[in-house]
Amino acid sequence: MAQKMIMSKLFKKTLLIIIILFIVIAVTIAISSGWNLYKDLVQEYKSKGTAIAKSIAGSSVETLLNRDASTIQAMIDQFLEISGVFYVFVVDAQGEIVSHTFVPNVPDEILKIKNEKAKTISIQDLNTEGGGKFIDIAAPILEGIAGYVHVGMDKGMIMSQMQAAMIRQLALIAIIFIFSVTMAYFLVNKISQPLNQLSEYARKLASHDFSSNVDIKSHDEIGLLADTMKSMATDLREVFDRYEQAINDAVVELQNTLAYLTAVIDNMADGLLVTDTDGVITHVNPALSYMFALRETDLIGKNCRDLFGNEFAELVRKSIDNSYEVYTSEIGLAHNRIGRAVATGIHQDTFETDDKGIGSVILIRDITSEKEVDRMKTDFISTVSHELRTPLTSVRGFTEIIKRKLEDDIFMKFSDDSDKKTVKAVKRIRENIDIILSEGERLTALINDVLDISKLEAGKVEWKMENIQPADVIERAIGATSSLFEQKKLAFVRDIDNDLPEVIGDKDRFIQVVINLLSNAVKFTETGSVACRVKRTGNEVTVSVIDTGIGISDADKEHVFEKFRQAGDTLTDKPMGTGLGLSICKQIIEYHGGRIWVESELGKGSSFFFTLPVNAKSGHTSARGVDIIPGKEV
Ligand SMILES: Nc1ncnc2c1ncn2[C@@H]1O[C@H](COP(=O)(O)OP(=O)(O)O)[C@@H](O)[C@H]1O
Ligand SMILES: [Mg+2]
């Protein structure tokens, strides 16, 4: 199909060009040769006519002079037989027609010219109404004295001769035309055939078939084209081979990398689960299948909500929504084991979109034994603390009794007049008993804090959730710490907004938090003031405790909320607390869905902030044992 098209198109074009060319040539030749022929024939007729007229004029002098009309008639009649001669007539000097060859009469137009008198040959064109066109040649007889001979040459003859000549010419051109078209047909065929071969070859190359060849041996442009295409094909084949090799290498490398990564993932001790943005599981490793006692095929393609419940699905959804946060949650595994799931959103930089969330990756670690150890630790701490508290209470109680007895009954007796040694001893005993009492108090506080934190961590705290007015909480805490301010002579600034919204939480625990913060502020401030502010900020109530004390260095700021962490050098400085207060505060606030943080500059004071969400539904998930705690650290 394509072949024929190419051939016929090429041939059609050639044919069109040939036709146009021939028309132009034919018209040009016809016009120019017709014109030349016409001129030549006219010239020929003129000279023929002149010769005839002269010869008649020369030979008829005598006859004319004798006015022998019949002889003249006989003479002129014979000239009519010469081709092209249409008429001959003779006039005398007076212009009278002596004889003529017209049948039956001389036409009027001829009569008009018979009287012209010239001394030499005169030629003119004549057009008669019905008689056609003539060239009239007039020859004087004896310089016109004896009369004139007129010979009329027929122009119509010229035309018909010309016509015949042109028909012959056109016939010749037509023959040449047919011949050229046939030639062109074969020539075009001869060109288009290798062209077709070439186009077929090019088509094969385009479909990457490098095994085909083309057999054109001519040394013309087509041969050159064929050679060029062949060498191009060789080059292309090399390039393709190279690329194929490169792609194969890349594929092998990719496969190896993939196999390596798969091996790493498959041999992880932790369970790995990947979901898409809809929470549908796309990938799991063998450890995970084992943890849930499910086969991989039971997991892949399933929605994690259907398999692991709402809590887990919620964790996945949160990590997808906030792909830069890490979310953790506990999850029940098969065989009564407990796992901790750590979920993070997967985001990917692609060419089209930058940073697009594509799912979530969840790592699950079996924490059953840790939980068990934790539980044992908590139990142990609770028991020990409890056991310590009882004797400690006795120690403190008896110390106080001893102190009172000593003061009331014994020290009284050693008044100022006693000897110096006794006075000194009394002073020493008093100081030492005071130390026993204050250290006993510190020990009680420590035991209480330790008990608190272990209960919080074990989730054994019983929360009394209720609607609370934040202002009440603050007032209660201020009341409990007012004596501290008096002791240290620090100014206290209170700045509490009116119309604060209610929050839901455990009131006693909130009071504990504020007391902790206020007592810290007093403890670490020597001069200046302590301020307590409560404001509504959006959907939260923000409480801040601001002091002008020693401040906290940047390095310590990160750690003050950790257990047993005290800023500064605890070895040289006298410890003034347990280092558990802020850790307890953090646990309580985060349980209620709030945040706690510190801003501080060393030497200039510290500001502790915490937020409580308004309308918080906090606590409910945790109360059921699963704690979803946002945070960077795992
Ligand atoms: N208002 C404050 N100014 C300076 N340092 C503080 C302040 N509050 C707490 N800190 C630092 O944080 C540490 C931890 O505080 P906390 O957990 O309450 O323990 P404790 O009060 O028993 O030392 C403190 O020991 C102290 O170094
Ligand atoms: Mg404290």
Side-chain angles (χ1 to χ4, degrees), residues 331-395:
I331 180 170
L333 305 178
H335 317 297
N336 281 331
R337 301 188 73 83
I338 300 165
R340 189 177 59 211
V342 181
T344 21
I346 314 169
H347 35 89
Q348 197 179 36
D349 267 332
T350 57
F351 286 118
E352 304 95 50
T353 52
D354 33 32
D355 213 11
K356 177 169 145 260
I358 56 167
S360 174
V361 56
I362 301 109
L363 269 179
I364 298 178
R365 172 164 291 180
D366 188 332
I367 54 161
T368 318
S369 47
E370 278 102 317
K371 280 291 244 189
E372 182 59 19
V373 170
D374 231 35
R375 197 188 53 74
M376 280 160 57
K377 190 182 80 188
T378 313
D379 285 354
F380 173 75
I381 291 173
S382 313
T383 320
V384 169
S385 317
H386 196 77
E387 292 305 318
L388 281 174
R389 243 193 330 200
T390 325
L392 195 59
T393 318
S394 317
V395 170

Coordinates of all heavy atoms in Angstrom, one line a residue, residues 331-395:
I331 N -0.4 -2.1 72.0 CA -1.3 -2.9 71.2 C -1.2 -4.4 71.7 O -0.1 -4.9 72.0 CB -1.0 -2.8 69.7 CG1 -2.0 -3.6 68.9 CG2 0.4 -3.1 69.3 CD1 -2.0 -3.3 67.4
G332 N -2.3 -5.0 71.8 CA -2.3 -6.4 72.2 C -1.9 -7.3 71.1 O -2.3 -7.2 70.0
L333 N -0.9 -8.3 71.4 CA -0.5 -9.2 70.4 C -1.1 -10.6 70.6 O -1.7 -10.8 71.6 CB 1.1 -9.2 70.4 CG 1.8 -7.9 70.3 CD1 3.3 -8.1 70.4 CD2 1.4 -7.2 68.9
A334 N -0.7 -11.5 69.7 CA -1.2 -12.9 69.9 C -0.5 -13.5 71.1 O 0.5 -12.9 71.6 CB -0.9 -13.7 68.7
H335 N -1.0 -14.5 71.6 CA -0.4 -15.3 72.8 C -0.3 -14.4 74.0 O 0.7 -14.4 74.7 CB 0.9 -15.9 72.5 CG 1.0 -16.5 71.1 ND1 0.2 -17.6 70.8 CD2 1.7 -16.2 70.0 CE1 0.5 -17.9 69.5 NE2 1.4 -17.1 69.0
N336 N -1.3 -13.5 74.2 CA -1.3 -12.6 75.4 C -0.1 -11.7 75.6 O 0.3 -11.4 76.7 CB -1.5 -13.5 76.7 CG -2.9 -13.9 76.8 OD1 -3.8 -13.2 76.4 ND2 -3.1 -15.0 77.5
R337 N 0.5 -11.4 74.5 CA 1.7 -10.5 74.6 C 1.3 -9.1 74.3 O 0.2 -8.8 73.7 CB 2.8 -11.0 73.7 CG 3.2 -12.5 74.0 CD 4.4 -12.9 73.2 NE 5.6 -12.3 73.8 CZ 6.3 -12.7 74.8 NH1 5.9 -13.8 75.5 NH2 7.4 -12.1 75.2
I338 N 2.2 -8.2 74.7 CA 1.9 -6.8 74.5 C 3.0 -6.2 73.6 O 4.1 -6.5 73.8 CB 1.8 -6.0 75.9 CG1 0.8 -6.6 76.8 CG2 1.6 -4.5 75.7 CD1 0.9 -6.2 78.2
G339 N 2.5 -5.3 72.7 CA 3.5 -4.7 71.8 C 3.4 -3.2 71.9 O 2.3 -2.7 72.3
R340 N 4.5 -2.5 71.6 CA 4.4 -1.0 71.5 C 4.5 -0.6 70.0 O 5.5 -1.0 69.4 CB 5.4 -0.3 72.3 CG 5.1 1.2 72.4 CD 6.0 2.0 73.2 NE 7.3 1.8 72.8 CZ 8.4 1.9 73.6 NH1 8.2 2.1 74.9 NH2 9.6 1.8 73.1
A341 N 3.5 0.0 69.5 CA 3.5 0.5 68.1 C 4.0 1.9 68.0 O 3.6 2.8 68.8 CB 2.1 0.3 67.5
V342 N 5.0 2.1 67.1 CA 5.5 3.5 66.9 C 5.2 3.8 65.4 O 5.6 3.1 64.5 CB 7.0 3.5 67.1 CG1 7.5 4.9 66.9 CG2 7.3 3.1 68.5
A343 N 4.3 4.8 65.2 CA 3.9 5.1 63.9 C 4.4 6.5 63.4 O 4.5 7.4 64.2 CB 2.4 5.2 63.8
T344 N 4.9 6.5 62.2 CA 5.3 7.7 61.5 C 4.8 7.8 60.1 O 4.7 6.8 59.5 CB 6.9 7.8 61.4 OG1 7.4 6.5 61.4 CG2 7.5 8.7 62.4
G345 N 4.4 9.0 59.7 CA 4.0 9.2 58.3 C 5.1 9.0 57.4 O 6.2 9.4 57.7
I346 N 4.8 8.5 56.2 CA 5.8 8.4 55.2 C 5.6 9.6 54.2 O 4.4 9.7 53.7 CB 5.7 7.1 54.4 CG1 5.6 5.9 55.3 CG2 6.9 6.9 53.4 CD1 5.2 4.6 54.5
H347 N 6.6 10.4 54.0 CA 6.4 11.4 53.0 C 7.5 11.3 52.0 O 8.6 11.0 52.3 CB 6.3 12.8 53.6 CG 7.1 13.1 54.7 ND1 8.4 13.5 54.6 CD2 6.9 12.8 56.1 CE1 8.9 13.6 55.8 NE2 8.0 13.2 56.7
Q348 N 7.1 11.7 50.8 CA 8.0 11.5 49.7 C 8.1 12.7 48.8 O 7.1 13.3 48.5 CB 7.5 10.3 48.8 CG 8.5 9.7 47.9 CD 7.9 8.5 47.1 OE1 6.7 8.6 46.8 NE2 8.6 7.5 46.9
D349 N 9.4 13.0 48.4 CA 9.6 14.1 47.5 C 9.5 13.5 46.1 O 10.4 12.7 45.7 CB 10.9 14.8 47.7 CG 10.8 15.9 48.7 OD1 9.7 16.5 48.7 OD2 11.8 16.2 49.4
T350 N 8.6 13.9 45.3 CA 8.6 13.5 43.9 C 8.8 14.6 43.0 O 8.9 15.8 43.4 CB 7.2 12.8 43.6 OG1 6.2 13.8 43.8 CG2 6.9 11.6 44.4
F351 N 8.9 14.3 41.7 CA 9.2 15.4 40.8 C 8.0 16.3 40.6 O 8.1 17.5 40.5 CB 9.6 14.8 39.4 CG 11.0 14.3 39.4 CD1 11.2 12.9 39.1 CD2 12.1 15.1 39.6 CE1 12.5 12.4 39.1 CE2 13.3 14.6 39.6 CZ 13.6 13.3 39.4
E352 N 6.8 15.6 40.6 CA 5.6 16.4 40.4 C 5.2 17.2 41.6 O 5.0 18.4 41.6 CB 4.4 15.5 40.0 CG 4.7 14.6 38.8 CD 5.1 13.2 39.2 OE1 4.5 12.6 40.1 OE2 6.2 12.8 38.7
T353 N 5.1 16.5 42.8 CA 4.7 17.2 44.0 C 5.8 17.2 45.0 O 6.5 16.2 45.0 CB 3.5 16.5 44.6 OG1 3.8 15.2 44.8 CG2 2.3 16.6 43.7
D354 N 6.0 18.2 45.8 CA 7.0 18.1 46.8 C 6.3 17.7 48.1 O 5.3 18.2 48.5 CB 7.9 19.4 46.9 CG 7.1 20.6 46.6 OD1 5.9 20.6 46.9 OD2 7.6 21.6 46.1
D355 N 7.0 16.8 48.7 CA 6.6 16.4 50.1 C 5.2 16.0 50.2 O 4.3 16.8 50.7 CB 6.9 17.5 51.0 CG 7.3 17.0 52.3 OD1 7.5 15.7 52.4 OD2 7.4 17.7 53.3
K356 N 4.9 14.8 49.8 CA 3.5 14.3 49.8 C 3.4 13.1 50.7 O 4.2 12.2 50.6 CB 3.2 13.9 48.3 CG 1.8 13.4 48.1 CD 1.6 13.3 46.6 CE 0.7 12.2 46.2 NZ 1.5 11.1 45.7
G357 N 2.4 13.1 51.6 CA 2.2 11.9 52.4 C 1.7 10.8 51.6 O 0.8 10.9 50.9
I358 N 2.4 9.6 51.8 CA 2.0 8.4 51.0 C 1.6 7.3 51.9 O 1.2 6.2 51.4 CB 3.0 8.0 50.0 CG1 4.4 7.7 50.7 CG2 3.2 9.0 48.9 CD1 5.3 7.0 49.8
G359 N 1.6 7.5 53.2 CA 1.2 6.4 54.0 C 1.8 6.5 55.4 O 2.2 7.5 55.8
S360 N 1.8 5.3 56.1 CA 2.4 5.3 57.4 C 3.2 4.1 57.6 O 2.9 3.0 57.0 CB 1.2 5.3 58.4 OG 1.7 5.2 59.7
V361 N 4.3 4.2 58.4 CA 5.1 3.0 58.7 C 5.1 2.8 60.2 O 5.3 3.7 61.0 CB 6.5 3.1 58.1 CG1 7.2 4.4 58.6 CG2 7.3 1.9 58.5
I362 N 4.7 1.6 60.6 CA 4.5 1.3 62.0 C 5.5 0.2 62.4 O 5.5 -0.9 61.8 CB 3.1 0.9 62.3 CG1 2.1 2.0 61.9 CG2 2.9 0.6 63.8 CD1 1.3 1.6 60.7
L363 N 6.3 0.5 63.5 CA 7.2 -0.5 64.0 C 6.5 -1.1 65.3 O 6.1 -0.3 66.1 CB 8.5 0.1 64.4 CG 9.6 0.1 63.3 CD1 10.8 0.8 63.8 CD2 9.9 -1.3 62.8
I364 N 6.5 -2.4 65.4 CA 5.9 -2.9 66.7 C 6.9 -3.8 67.4 O 7.6 -4.7 66.8 CB 4.7 -3.8 66.3 CG1 3.6 -2.9 65.7 CG2 4.1 -4.4 67.6 CD1 2.4 -3.6 65.3
R365 N 7.2 -3.4 68.6 CA 8.1 -4.2 69.4 C 7.4 -4.9 70.6 O 6.5 -4.3 71.2 CB 9.2 -3.2 70.0 CG 10.1 -3.9 71.0 CD 11.3 -3.0 71.3 NE 12.2 -3.0 70.1 CZ 13.3 -2.3 70.0 NH1 13.7 -1.6 71.0 NH2 14.0 -2.4 68.9
D366 N 7.8 -6.1 70.8 CA 7.2 -6.9 71.8 C 7.7 -6.4 73.2 O 8.9 -6.5 73.4 CB 7.5 -8.4 71.6 CG 6.8 -9.3 72.6 OD1 6.4 -8.8 73.7 OD2 6.5 -10.4 72.2
I367 N 6.9 -5.8 74.0 CA 7.4 -5.2 75.2 C 6.8 -6.0 76.4 O 6.7 -5.4 77.5 CB 7.1 -3.7 75.3 CG1 5.6 -3.4 75.1 CG2 7.9 -2.9 74.4 CD1 5.1 -2.1 75.6
T368 N 6.4 -7.2 76.2 CA 5.8 -8.0 77.3 C 6.7 -8.1 78.5 O 6.3 -7.8 79.6 CB 5.4 -9.4 76.8 OG1 4.8 -9.3 75.5 CG2 4.4 -10.0 77.7
S369 N 8.0 -8.4 78.2 CA 8.9 -8.6 79.3 C 9.2 -7.3 80.0 O 9.3 -7.2 81.2 CB 10.2 -9.4 78.9 OG 10.6 -8.8 77.7
E370 N 9.4 -6.2 79.2 CA 9.6 -4.9 79.8 C 8.5 -4.5 80.7 O 8.7 -4.0 81.8 CB 9.8 -3.8 78.7 CG 11.1 -3.7 78.0 CD 11.1 -4.4 76.7 OE1 10.6 -5.5 76.6 OE2 11.7 -3.8 75.7
K371 N 7.3 -4.8 80.2 CA 6.1 -4.5 81.0 C 6.1 -5.3 82.3 O 5.8 -4.7 83.3 CB 4.8 -4.9 80.2 CG 4.4 -3.9 79.1 CD 3.9 -2.7 79.8 CE 2.5 -2.3 79.5 NZ 2.2 -1.0 80.0
E372 N 6.5 -6.5 82.1 CA 6.5 -7.4 83.3 C 7.6 -6.8 84.3 O 7.3 -6.7 85.5 CB 6.9 -8.8 82.9 CG 6.9 -9.8 84.0 CD 5.6 -10.0 84.7 OE1 4.6 -9.5 84.1 OE2 5.6 -10.5 85.9
V373 N 8.7 -6.5 83.8 CA 9.8 -5.9 84.6 C 9.3 -4.6 85.3 O 9.5 -4.4 86.5 CB 11.1 -5.7 83.8 CG1 12.1 -4.9 84.6 CG2 11.7 -7.1 83.4
D374 N 8.7 -3.8 84.4 CA 8.2 -2.5 84.9 C 7.2 -2.7 86.0 O 7.2 -2.0 87.0 CB 7.4 -1.9 83.7 CG 7.9 -0.5 83.5 OD1 9.1 -0.2 83.7 OD2 7.1 0.4 83.1
R375 N 6.3 -3.7 85.8 CA 5.3 -4.0 86.8 C 5.9 -4.4 88.1 O 5.6 -4.0 89.2 CB 4.3 -5.1 86.3 CG 3.0 -5.1 87.0 CD 2.2 -6.3 86.6 NE 2.9 -7.6 86.7 CZ 3.2 -8.2 87.9 NH1 2.8 -7.7 89.0 NH2 3.9 -9.3 87.9
M376 N 6.9 -5.3 87.9 CA 7.6 -5.8 89.1 C 8.3 -4.7 89.8 O 8.3 -4.6 91.1 CB 8.6 -6.9 88.7 CG 8.0 -8.2 88.5 SD 9.0 -9.4 87.6 CE 10.5 -9.4 88.5
K377 N 8.9 -3.8 89.0 CA 9.7 -2.6 89.6 C 8.7 -1.8 90.4 O 9.0 -1.4 91.5 CB 10.3 -1.8 88.4 CG 11.3 -0.8 88.9 CD 11.8 0.0 87.7 CE 10.8 1.0 87.3 NZ 11.2 1.7 86.0
T378 N 7.5 -1.5 89.7 CA 6.6 -0.6 90.4 C 6.1 -1.2 91.7 O 6.0 -0.6 92.7 CB 5.4 -0.4 89.4 OG1 5.9 0.0 88.2 CG2 4.5 0.7 89.9
D379 N 5.8 -2.6 91.6 CA 5.3 -3.3 92.8 C 6.3 -3.2 93.9 O 6.0 -2.9 95.0 CB 5.0 -4.7 92.4 CG 3.8 -4.9 91.7 OD1 3.1 -3.8 91.5 OD2 3.5 -6.0 91.2
F380 N 7.6 -3.4 93.4 CA 8.7 -3.4 94.4 C 8.8 -2.0 95.1 O 8.8 -1.8 96.3 CB 10.0 -3.7 93.7 CG 11.2 -3.6 94.6 CD1 11.5 -4.5 95.6 CD2 12.1 -2.5 94.4 CE1 12.6 -4.4 96.4 CE2 13.2 -2.4 95.2 CZ 13.4 -3.3 96.2
I381 N 8.8 -1.0 94.2 CA 8.9 0.4 94.7 C 7.7 0.7 95.6 O 7.9 1.3 96.7 CB 9.0 1.4 93.5 CG1 10.3 1.3 92.8 CG2 8.9 2.9 94.0 CD1 10.5 2.1 91.6
S382 N 6.5 0.3 95.2 CA 5.4 0.6 96.0 C 5.5 0.0 97.4 O 5.3 0.6 98.4 CB 4.1 0.1 95.4 OG 4.0 0.5 94.0
T383 N 5.9 -1.3 97.3 CA 6.0 -2.0 98.6 C 7.1 -1.4 99.5 O 6.8 -1.1 100.7 CB 6.4 -3.5 98.3 OG1 5.6 -3.9 97.2 CG2 6.1 -4.4 99.5
V384 N 8.3 -1.2 98.9 CA 9.4 -0.6 99.6 C 9.0 0.7 100.2 O 9.2 1.0 101.4 CB 10.6 -0.5 98.8 CG1 11.7 0.3 99.5 CG2 11.2 -1.9 98.5
S385 N 8.4 1.6 99.3 CA 8.0 2.9 99.8 C 7.1 2.9 100.9 O 7.2 3.5 102.0 CB 7.4 3.8 98.7 OG 8.1 3.6 97.5
H386 N 6.1 2.0 100.7 CA 5.1 1.8 101.7 C 5.7 1.3 103.0 O 5.4 1.9 104.1 CB 4.0 0.8 101.2 CG 2.8 0.9 102.0 ND1 1.9 1.9 101.9 CD2 2.3 0.1 103.0 CE1 0.9 1.8 102.7 NE2 1.1 0.7 103.5
E387 N 6.6 0.4 102.9 CA 7.2 -0.2 104.1 C 8.1 0.8 104.8 O 8.3 0.8 106.0 CB 8.0 -1.4 103.7 CG 7.2 -2.6 103.3 CD 6.2 -3.0 104.4 OE1 6.5 -3.0 105.6 OE2 5.0 -3.3 104.0
L388 N 8.7 1.7 103.9 CA 9.6 2.8 104.5 C 8.8 3.8 105.2 O 9.2 4.4 106.2 CB 10.4 3.4 103.4 CG 11.6 2.7 102.8 CD1 12.2 3.4 101.7 CD2 12.7 2.5 103.9
R389 N 7.6 4.1 104.7 CA 6.8 5.2 105.2 C 6.4 5.0 106.7 O 6.4 5.9 107.5 CB 5.5 5.4 104.4 CG 5.6 6.8 103.8 CD 4.4 7.3 103.1 NE 3.5 6.4 102.6 CZ 2.6 6.8 101.7 NH1 2.6 8.0 101.3 NH2 1.7 5.9 101.2
T390 N 6.1 3.7 107.0 CA 5.6 3.4 108.4 C 6.7 3.7 109.4 O 6.5 4.5 110.3 CB 5.1 2.0 108.5 OG1 4.5 1.6 107.2 CG2 4.1 1.8 109.6
P391 N 7.9 3.1 109.3 CA 8.9 3.4 110.3 C 9.3 4.9 110.2 O 9.6 5.5 111.3 CB 10.1 2.5 109.9 CG 9.8 2.1 108.5 CD 8.4 2.1 108.3
L392 N 9.3 5.5 109.0 CA 9.7 6.9 108.9 C 8.7 7.8 109.7 O 9.1 8.7 110.4 CB 9.6 7.3 107.4 CG 10.4 8.6 107.1 CD1 11.8 8.5 107.5 CD2 10.2 8.9 105.7
T393 N 7.4 7.4 109.6 CA 6.4 8.2 110.4 C 6.8 8.1 111.9 O 6.7 9.1 112.6 CB 5.0 7.6 110.1 OG1 4.9 7.4 108.7 CG2 4.0 8.6 110.5
S394 N 7.1 6.9 112.3 CA 7.5 6.7 113.7 C 8.7 7.5 114.1 O 8.7 8.2 115.1 CB 7.8 5.2 114.0 OG 6.8 4.4 113.4
V395 N 9.7 7.4 113.2 CA 10.9 8.2 113.5 C 10.6 9.7 113.6 O 11.0 10.3 114.6 CB 12.0 8.0 112.3 CG1 13.1 8.9 112.5 CG2 12.5 6.5 112.3

